[in-house]
Amino acid sequence: GSRFDVATSSIIITSHAIPGFLFAIMLIIFFAGGRYLDWFPLRGLTSDDWQILTWPERIADYFWHITLPVTAMTIGSFATLTLLTKNAFLDEIGKQYVITARAKGLSERQVLYGHVFRNAMLLVVAAFPRTLVSLLFTGSVLIEVIFSLDGLGLLGFEAAQHRDYPVVFGTLYFFGLIGLLLNVISDVTLHLVDPRIDFERKET
C-alpha cells in the first residue's frame, strides 16, 4: 500500500495492542503534570472549589476532569473499530459487484458510498455493542483506580472483594441493561444502513 496506508495501519495496530491503563499512564505523564504539560487534572471528578462554581462552570469542570480517563478508555476500542472498518472495506472492494459497478461507469464516490459502504458497515455496526460493553467491563476498573474515580467498575470490583452481592448484582444488571440497549440500537442502525434487513419478516 501507500505510505499513508502503512503509517495509519501501524498506528492503528499499535493502539490496538496497547492496553487502556498504559494509555492512561502515558496521558498522565504527557498532559497531567507528569513531566511535560499540565493541562488536565491528575485525579478526581471535580475540583476543590466545585461547590462555589456556577452550573456552566461545573459542567466545564466535570468534562475537564473526565477528558483523560475517557480518552484512555476509548483509544483502544477506537483502534479496534477502525481496524475492523478498514478490513471490511478492503474485503468488500475486492468483490465482484464492485467491479461490475465500476464497469457500468459509476464514479468512485458512487461505488464507495452507494455500494461498498452499506455492506461494509454492517459488520462494524454489529460489532459496536460488543466492543463498547467489553470496554466498560475490562478497562474501566484500572483506569478508575489510576485517576481515582468512583465509578461503577471500581464499585463492582470492591463489592466483589467484600462479597457485597446486592451491589455486585446491581452493577452486573446495569452493564447488562446497557448491553441490551446497545444491541437494540445496533439492530435499528443495521436496518437504517441496509433497509433490506427485516427482523419482522419470517421465512416460511
Side-chain angles (χ1 to χ4, degrees):
S2 62
R3 292 183 178 179
F4 177 78
D5 181 52
V6 174
T8 53
S9 298
S10 301
I11 294 174
I12 292 172
I13 293 173
T14 303
S15 301
H16 175 68
I18 298 177
F21 70 89
L22 188 56
F23 273 119
I25 296 174
M26 293 171 59
L27 290 174
I28 289 175
I29 293 174
F30 284 101
F31 299 107
R35 293 187 60 184
Y36 299 95
L37 303 174
D38 192 10
W39 290 353
F40 297 96
L42 182 61
R43 60 182 60 191
L45 282 174
T46 56
S47 301
D48 295 334
D49 58 346
W50 190 81
Q51 295 293 338
I52 63 175
L53 298 177
T54 62
W55 277 109
E57 291 175 340
R58 289 183 179 183
I59 295 174
D61 181 75
Y62 184 76
F63 279 102
W64 182 48
H65 279 77
I66 67 172
T67 298
L68 293 186
V70 171
T71 302
M73 291 179 65
T74 55
I75 285 178
S77 297
F78 175 77
T80 302
L81 288 176
T82 304
L83 190 63
L84 180 62
T85 304
K86 178 183 177 181
N87 292 335
F89 269 86
L90 291 177
D91 184 56
E92 291 294 328
I93 286 176
K95 291 187 176 180
Q96 186 64 39
Y97 73 90
V98 177
I99 300 175
T100 304
R102 287 172 175 167
K104 289 181 178 180
L106 297 179
S107 65
E108 196 67 20
R109 182 182 181 88
Q110 290 175 322
V111 172
L112 289 177
Y113 290 98
H115 297 275
V116 177
F117 176 81
R118 176 182 296 177
N119 294 318
M121 287 304 295
L122 295 178
L123 182 62
V124 178
V125 173
F128 179 76
R130 181 184 60 189
T131 303
L132 188 56
V133 171
S134 65
L135 166 68
L136 295 175
F137 269 108
T138 59
S140 61
V141 176
L142 290 175
I143 291 178
E144 288 171 10
V145 171
I146 291 173
F147 288 99
S148 299
L149 304 176
D150 295 327
L152 282 176
L154 183 60
L155 176 65
F157 177 73
E158 292 179 346
Q161 282 186 318
H162 296 89
R163 298 185 180 182
D164 190 353
Y165 297 116
V167 177
V168 173
F169 289 132
T171 54
L172 290 176
Y173 173 80
F174 183 78
F175 284 127
L177 181 62
I178 291 178
L180 290 175
L181 291 176
L182 289 175
N183 281 321
V184 172
I185 295 174
S186 175
D187 291 341
V188 174
T189 307
L190 283 174
H191 180 71
L192 293 176
V193 172
D194 190 354
R196 295 173 298 177
I197 298 177
D198 189 359
F199 297 102
E200 295 183 356
R201 185 175 58 189
K202 296 181 179 179
E203 296 183 358
T204 56

